[in-house]
Amino acid sequence: MPRVVGQVDETKTEAILDAAFALFSEKGAGVSMEAIARKAGVSRQTLYNRFPSRVEMARALASRRSDAISAPLRSGGDPETVLTGMARALLEKICTQDGRGSMRGVAMLSPQAPEVAHAIYDAGPAEGLRRLSVWLAEQDRKGLLVVPDPVAAAEMFAGMTLGHGHLRGILGVPQPPFDPDARALETARRFIRAFAPE
């Protein structure tokens, strides 16, 4: 079926974001918009129509990642299932080889392009924390958990899940082997015990 005039081809948008992620992870801040367009198989005009600047592209990449990590919060499951799913997604996105390369890319980019780093943080990790804190506040209202400070609790959950995984990623230090499913479940259970109703 042909596209309606003015309709955005989402497959091209995804191809651009995939190309940008791969190139930024591999080469850091020095990647040109032209290189991204080439790798995505789109024209420069198509790329600039969707992402007028590196800041907008970085924001879209971080937002996509945040959506994937926080997807369990929208599942409507019980706290253990939701938190286990979110912990597993965090581990997958941050502690895998791709995630580690992405973390290093952002760290290398930060001094040269602080506006890009701020956009990435705000649309990615900060948005994930906001979503988790809203979900935790809802669990508190339902009486399923007791969370007097949902913002602090959201940060605690992320820290419990990742440990030093994100630091190893930034520094390029090897990640010791671990079972992500077991770690995600243990993190969720320990977090729930810490915030369980009396």
Side-chain angles (χ1 to χ4, degrees):
M1 181 166 102
R3 283 187 295 125
V4 176
V5 174
Q7 182 181 11
V8 174
D9 182 349
E10 288 303 322
T11 59
K12 288 184 180 178
T13 300
E14 289 302 309
I16 291 167
L17 291 175
D18 290 344
F21 178 79
L23 289 170
F24 285 142
S25 296
E26 180 185 335
K27 300 183 181 194
V31 176
S32 69
M33 296 290 266
E34 290 75 18
I36 294 168
R38 252 192 326 276
K39 185 165 182 69
V42 300
S43 69
R44 287 188 331 169
Q45 187 61 50
T46 296
L47 182 136
Y48 282 109
N49 284 346
R50 285 164 174 77
F51 305 104
S53 69
R54 280 177 190 258
V55 172
E56 292 307 314
M57 184 173 295
R59 186 174 285 117
L61 280 167
S63 179
R64 182 169 77 162
R65 187 177 210 160
S66 180
D67 287 346
I69 291 171
S70 63
L73 299 175
R74 300 183 293 277
S75 70
D78 63 276
E80 183 177 299
T81 301
V82 169
L83 290 172
T84 299
M86 186 159 184
R88 182 65 178 87
L90 265 170
L91 291 167
E92 179 184 320
K93 294 293 182 187
I94 304 299
C95 296
T96 60
Q97 195 60 37
D98 281 348
R100 292 162 55 83
S102 175
M103 294 287 290
R104 269 194 309 283
V106 171
M108 290 182 343
L109 175 78
S110 297
Q112 300 135 327
E115 71 285 354
V116 173
H118 284 273
I120 289 169
Y121 180 76
D122 190 54
E127 180 60 24
L129 288 174
R130 282 190 287 270
R131 291 175 185 178
L132 179 55
S133 66
V134 167
W135 183 86
L136 289 169
E138 180 62 23
Q139 304 317 295
D140 182 81
R141 279 191 293 280
K142 291 177 179 177
L144 298 174
L145 298 172
V146 178
V147 190
D149 186 346
V151 174
E155 285 204 28
M156 285 179 211
F157 179 77
M160 284 177 68
T161 301
L162 295 174
H164 276 204
H166 65 292
L167 293 175
R168 291 186 191 101
I170 290 170
L171 298 172
V173 174
Q175 180 76 36
F178 69 96
D179 179 341
D181 293 320
R183 180 175 292 178
L185 180 59
E186 181 178 3
T187 300
R189 287 179 173 170
R190 289 183 183 275
F191 184 85
I192 289 167
R193 278 201 296 273
F195 290 95
E198 294 278 327

